[in-house]
Structure formats: C-alpha cells, structure tokens
Amino acid sequence: MTLFTVPEVVARTEGYVGRLTLNRPKALHALTEGMCLAISSALLAWRDDPAVVLVLIDHAGERGFCAGGDIRMMAEAGRSDPDAGAAFFLAEYRMDELLQRYPKPVVAVMDGVTMGGGVGLSAYAKYRIATERTLWAMPETGIGLFPDIGSGWLLSRLPGEIGTWLALTGARLKAADLLHLNLATHYVESARVEALKALLVQAPEGAAKALARFSDDPGPAPLAGKQKALDAYFEHGAVEAILAALKAGSSWAQEQAEVLASKSPTAMKVALRELRLAREKPNFADEIALEYRLACRIIATPDFQEGVRAVVVDKDNAPRWSPARLEDVTEAMLDGLFAPFEDREEWSPL
C-alpha cells in the first residue's frame, strides 16, 4: 500500500515493512521540506501500527543515497526568505529527532553518497548498511555551514577527537572506517542489496539474521591505529591551536592543515564550539534545538552565500571567506550565532 507520497519520496507498506524510498536521483536525492514532511508523516503513522514491524529507508536509481539538504534552496532563503529556510530546518530536524528516538527498528541502506542530510536519515537507524560505493561525510565547513542534523551529538561521541577531525575537515569515509567507528553496522556488496531488501520484506522479524547472512568484510580500516595522533592534533579548544599543531606535525598533519586553510574560518569555529558544547548536552533534542538556531542564522551569512556560489553555482571552488582569517572571527560573533532567539520560536520536536 502506498501512502504519504510526494514525487521525491515514495512511502508505502510492503508486507510488515514500512518502506521509504528517496526518489530525486538527478539531485542525488537532496532533501526538500516536502520530502522531510512526507517521511515524518509516514514514520508517525507507522510508529503505533502493529502491522509495521520494520522500517526500510533506501533510494531509487544508482547515483547515491542522499547528498544532503537542498543547499541552493537554503542559499536563496538566506538571501530573501528566512522563513522558508527556518521551515526547512524545522522539518528536517524534527525528522532526524524522530528517527533518533523511533521505537521500531529502522534499516538504512547507505549505498553511495551519504552526506549531510543523508547522514541524518541514516545515522540514527538501528541497522546502517554500507556498500563498496558508500561515501560518507559531513562537508559543511567547505560551504560556510556547520555539521548539523544532530551531528554535534553524533560526532562528539565518536572515539577521542575523530569527530572533531571529521567536522572541521569534512573528511570522507568509506565502508571499512564506517564499521570501525560504528557509523555503519554492516557491510553488504551493492550487487546483493536488492536480494537483502527482498528478504527483509519477506521476513522483517528476522532482520538481524538476514543482515548477518548478507554481510561481508570490507577490509582493514585506514583509521585503525590513528587514534592517538588524531587526538594529539585535534584535542585543543581553539581552531588556531589545532591548526598550529597540524602545521608543526607529520606530513599527514600538514595535509590536514592545508585542508583547514580552504574552509570557512567562521564555520570551523562554529563547528568546534558546537562539538565541545554537545559533549555536555543531556539529550539529543537539546542538541537539535541549538543547531536549529545556528542553521537559521548562518544561511544568511556572507560565508554560506559565498560557499554555495563557489561549490554549487559557479563551481570554481575558490570561495572568498569573510572574515578571511581565524583571528578575525571573534567570540562575540559566535555568541550571536549561538544565542537563544528573540524574534523566532525555538525548535520543538514532533
């Protein structure tokens, strides 16, 4: 039975499985407000339905799971319609928070590009499937944004300072590292994914056994053994100190310093403060509420507009950040981005 369908999402039940299929392949299934609302509506309908015992999230086509939110739309909203930007983030973050506390098992198939909003759709599922095509990242500092979708909570709870490294650099991970960090629970070759999904629909109560049957070894994790070095470089409380440590370090560390030099100074400072604060947050919803404030404000900043221009519109990959230097991003500027709203309602869960 098909229900709650918009053109970009197909939500239906198959047997005892609620299926959500992202259906915007030309945009790598980038999320819109309507897609988030449709997904949330289906999840709420299935939450207390005894005929649904498992939820399966996948995508149509072969071009990737979900490349994130529709940043062109966000940039336009930041320029001319802040209410539209706020409406998108409200819908997306409510969807993410609902998934994080969802009472039924969710299977997310991260076959292909899984970034930004795609991480939000998958990271809180009970079962997270990676394939040899999975490419996972939170690349927001490269477009003047910050790691959102609850990733302050998610990344700050990874071992040591790996989350800080991922947040600041936007580093891309593949299947072996995702399993190493428990960002994926299973590795399945892409050629076997359709057969696995068919078995899940046929016998959803046996999901754990089915996943074990189809799982394979993705090989050694490149990050294994790098924990101590990552911690030493990224444990500092200021981006300037992290950058100085990297510049004085190994050849790998100096490569990371070059990566940071290409990112938005404001976005990196926001991301670092976000992760440090998230360690003390008592629950996921509190983290999402903070990220909602940040998102509503930061899409109107010059850096986000410039990042979208450089990466998405003109594609020259030569953003001109403002401020251009880390030392010119003041604590007062950050305080303004993190402060409670005075002119807008705070985020609230479904």
Side-chain angles (χ1 to χ4, degrees), residues 256-270:
Q256 305 310 299
E258 292 178 5
V259 172
L260 292 190
S262 70
K263 308 300 182 184
S264 159
T266 301
M268 287 192 292
K269 286 200 169 185
V270 168

Side-chain angles (χ1 to χ4, degrees), residues 210-232:
L211 286 161
R213 172 181 161 187
F214 277 81
S215 292
D216 205 343
D217 182 0
L223 282 177
K226 290 187 177 179
Q227 184 75 59
K228 186 175 180 181
L230 274 168
D231 290 354

Side-chain angles (χ1 to χ4, degrees), residues 109-290:
V109 184
M110 304 181 292
D111 183 24
V113 173
T114 304
M115 297 185 182
V119 173
L121 268 178
S122 56
Y124 312 115
K126 181 174 182 178
Y127 303 113
R128 303 173 296 279
I129 300 169
T131 76
E132 77 280 3
R133 302 190 294 201
T134 301
L135 191 63
W136 188 106
M138 293 298 297
E140 285 77 10
T141 56
I143 56 168
L145 199 55
F146 68 98
D148 64 337
I149 54 83
S151 63
W153 177 279
L154 177 72
L155 297 179
S156 68
R157 283 157 176 77
L158 293 178
E161 298 296 338
I162 285 178
T164 307
W165 169 64
L166 291 170
L168 295 182
T169 65
R172 299 181 175 194
L173 302 181
K174 301 205 78 174
D177 280 329
L178 293 173
L179 264 71
H180 174 67
L181 297 174
N182 197 35
L183 292 169
T185 58
H186 298 82
Y187 171 74
V188 178
E189 293 180 359
S190 59
R192 305 183 72 199
V193 165
E194 288 304 317
L196 170 60
K197 290 192 286 189
L199 183 57
L200 290 172
V201 169
Q202 180 183 349
E205 69 284 350
K209 290 183 178 179
L211 286 161
R213 172 181 161 187
F214 277 81
S215 292
D216 205 343
D217 182 0
L223 282 177
K226 290 187 177 179
Q227 184 75 59
K228 186 175 180 181
L230 274 168
D231 290 354
Y233 292 125
F234 287 89
E235 67 183 358
H236 305 286
V239 180
E240 291 92 334
I242 291 172
L243 189 58
L246 290 169
K247 287 180 176 178
S250 66
S251 58
W252 176 87
Q254 292 174 36
E255 290 173 1
Q256 305 310 299
E258 292 178 5
V259 172
L260 292 190
S262 70
K263 308 300 182 184
S264 159
T266 301
M268 287 192 292
K269 286 200 169 185
V270 168
L272 186 62
R273 183 189 281 203
E274 171 200 6
L275 262 66
R276 296 298 185 255
L277 289 174
R279 290 173 174 171
E280 310 302 323
K281 287 281 187 294
N283 58 62
F284 184 81
D286 286 343
E287 172 61 24
I288 283 284
L290 172 60

